[in-house]
CSV table of all heavy atoms in Angstrom, one decimal:
chain,number,residue,atom,x,y,z
A,56,ARG,N,-6.3,-1.8,26.0
A,56,ARG,CA,-7.2,-2.8,26.2
A,56,ARG,C,-7.1,-3.9,25.0
A,56,ARG,O,-7.1,-5.1,25.3
A,56,ARG,CB,-8.7,-2.3,26.1
A,56,ARG,CG,-9.8,-3.3,26.3
A,56,ARG,CD,-11.1,-2.6,26.2
A,56,ARG,NE,-12.1,-3.7,26.3
A,56,ARG,CZ,-12.7,-4.1,27.5
A,56,ARG,NH1,-12.5,-3.4,28.7
A,56,ARG,NH2,-13.7,-5.0,27.5
A,57,ARG,N,-6.9,-3.5,23.8
A,57,ARG,CA,-6.8,-4.3,22.7
A,57,ARG,C,-5.6,-5.2,22.9
A,57,ARG,O,-5.7,-6.5,22.6
A,57,ARG,CB,-6.8,-3.5,21.3
A,57,ARG,CG,-8.0,-3.7,20.4
A,57,ARG,CD,-8.0,-2.9,19.3
A,57,ARG,NE,-8.6,-1.5,19.6
A,57,ARG,CZ,-8.2,-0.5,19.1
A,57,ARG,NH1,-7.3,-0.4,18.2
A,57,ARG,NH2,-8.8,0.7,19.5
A,58,ILE,N,-4.5,-4.6,23.2
A,58,ILE,CA,-3.3,-5.4,23.5
A,58,ILE,C,-3.6,-6.5,24.5
A,58,ILE,O,-3.2,-7.6,24.3
A,58,ILE,CB,-2.1,-4.6,23.8
A,58,ILE,CG1,-1.9,-3.5,22.7
A,58,ILE,CG2,-0.8,-5.3,24.3
A,58,ILE,CD1,-0.8,-2.4,23.1
A,59,LEU,N,-4.2,-6.0,25.6
A,59,LEU,CA,-4.3,-7.0,26.8
A,59,LEU,C,-5.3,-8.1,26.4
A,59,LEU,O,-5.1,-9.2,26.9
A,59,LEU,CB,-5.0,-6.2,28.0
A,59,LEU,CG,-3.9,-5.4,28.9
A,59,LEU,CD1,-4.6,-4.4,29.7
A,59,LEU,CD2,-3.1,-6.3,29.7
A,60,LEU,N,-6.3,-7.8,25.7
A,60,LEU,CA,-7.4,-8.8,25.4
A,60,LEU,C,-7.2,-9.8,24.2
A,60,LEU,O,-7.8,-10.8,24.0
A,60,LEU,CB,-8.8,-8.2,25.4
A,60,LEU,CG,-9.1,-7.5,26.8
A,60,LEU,CD1,-10.5,-7.0,26.7
A,60,LEU,CD2,-8.9,-8.3,28.0
A,61,GLU,N,-6.2,-9.3,23.3
A,61,GLU,CA,-6.0,-10.0,22.1
A,61,GLU,C,-5.5,-11.5,22.3
A,61,GLU,O,-4.4,-11.7,22.9
A,61,GLU,CB,-4.9,-9.2,21.2
A,61,GLU,CG,-4.4,-9.9,20.0
A,61,GLU,CD,-5.5,-10.3,19.1
A,61,GLU,OE1,-6.2,-9.4,18.5
A,61,GLU,OE2,-5.7,-11.6,18.8
A,62,PRO,N,-6.2,-12.5,22.0
A,62,PRO,CA,-5.9,-13.8,22.3
A,62,PRO,C,-4.5,-14.3,21.7
A,62,PRO,O,-3.9,-15.1,22.2
A,62,PRO,CB,-7.0,-14.7,21.6
A,62,PRO,CG,-8.2,-13.7,21.6
A,62,PRO,CD,-7.6,-12.4,21.3
A,63,LYS,N,-4.2,-13.6,20.6
A,63,LYS,CA,-2.8,-13.8,20.0
A,63,LYS,C,-1.6,-13.5,20.9
A,63,LYS,O,-0.6,-14.0,20.7
A,63,LYS,CB,-2.7,-13.1,18.6
A,63,LYS,CG,-3.3,-13.8,17.4
A,63,LYS,CD,-3.0,-13.0,16.2
A,63,LYS,CE,-4.1,-13.3,15.2
A,63,LYS,NZ,-4.3,-12.1,14.4
A,64,ASN,N,-1.9,-12.6,21.8
A,64,ASN,CA,-0.7,-12.2,22.7
A,64,ASN,C,-0.4,-13.2,23.8
A,64,ASN,O,-0.5,-12.8,24.9
A,64,ASN,CB,-1.0,-10.8,23.3
A,64,ASN,CG,-1.0,-9.7,22.1
A,64,ASN,OD1,-0.2,-9.9,21.2
A,64,ASN,ND2,-1.6,-8.5,22.3
A,65,LYS,N,-0.2,-14.4,23.4
A,65,LYS,CA,0.0,-15.5,24.3
A,65,LYS,C,1.2,-15.3,25.2
A,65,LYS,O,1.3,-15.8,26.2
A,65,LYS,CB,0.1,-16.8,23.6
A,65,LYS,CG,-1.4,-17.3,23.0
A,65,LYS,CD,-1.1,-18.7,22.5
A,65,LYS,CE,-2.4,-19.2,21.9
A,65,LYS,NZ,-2.5,-19.0,20.5
A,66,LYS,N,2.2,-14.5,24.5
A,66,LYS,CA,3.5,-14.6,25.2
A,66,LYS,C,3.5,-13.5,26.4
A,66,LYS,O,4.6,-13.4,27.0
A,66,LYS,CB,4.6,-14.2,24.2
A,66,LYS,CG,5.2,-15.3,23.5
A,66,LYS,CD,6.4,-14.8,22.6
A,66,LYS,CE,7.1,-15.9,21.8
A,66,LYS,NZ,8.0,-15.4,20.9
A,67,MET,N,2.4,-12.7,26.6
A,67,MET,CA,2.4,-11.7,27.5
A,67,MET,C,2.8,-12.2,28.9
A,67,MET,O,2.2,-13.0,29.4
A,67,MET,CB,1.2,-10.9,27.6
A,67,MET,CG,1.3,-9.5,28.4
A,67,MET,SD,-0.2,-8.7,28.4
A,67,MET,CE,-0.4,-8.2,26.8
A,68,ASN,N,3.9,-11.5,29.4
A,68,ASN,CA,4.4,-11.8,30.8
A,68,ASN,C,3.4,-11.2,31.9
A,68,ASN,O,2.8,-10.2,31.5
A,68,ASN,CB,5.7,-11.2,30.9
A,68,ASN,CG,6.3,-11.2,32.3
A,68,ASN,OD1,6.1,-10.4,33.1
A,68,ASN,ND2,6.9,-12.4,32.5
A,69,ALA,N,3.3,-11.8,32.9
A,69,ALA,CA,2.4,-11.3,34.0
A,69,ALA,C,2.6,-10.0,34.5
A,69,ALA,O,1.8,-9.2,34.7
A,69,ALA,CB,2.4,-12.4,35.2
A,70,VAL,N,4.0,-9.6,34.5
A,70,VAL,CA,4.3,-8.3,35.1
A,70,VAL,C,4.0,-7.2,34.0
A,70,VAL,O,3.3,-6.2,34.3
A,70,VAL,CB,5.8,-8.2,35.4
A,70,VAL,CG1,6.2,-6.7,35.8
A,70,VAL,CG2,6.3,-9.2,36.4
Side-chain angles (χ1 to χ4, degrees):
R56 181 185 179 92
R57 245 173 278 145
I58 298 171
L59 278 164
L60 302 185
E61 170 58 62
K63 276 189 208 143
N64 288 337
K65 286 195 185 86
K66 276 191 177 168
M67 191 181 293
N68 173 269
V70 179

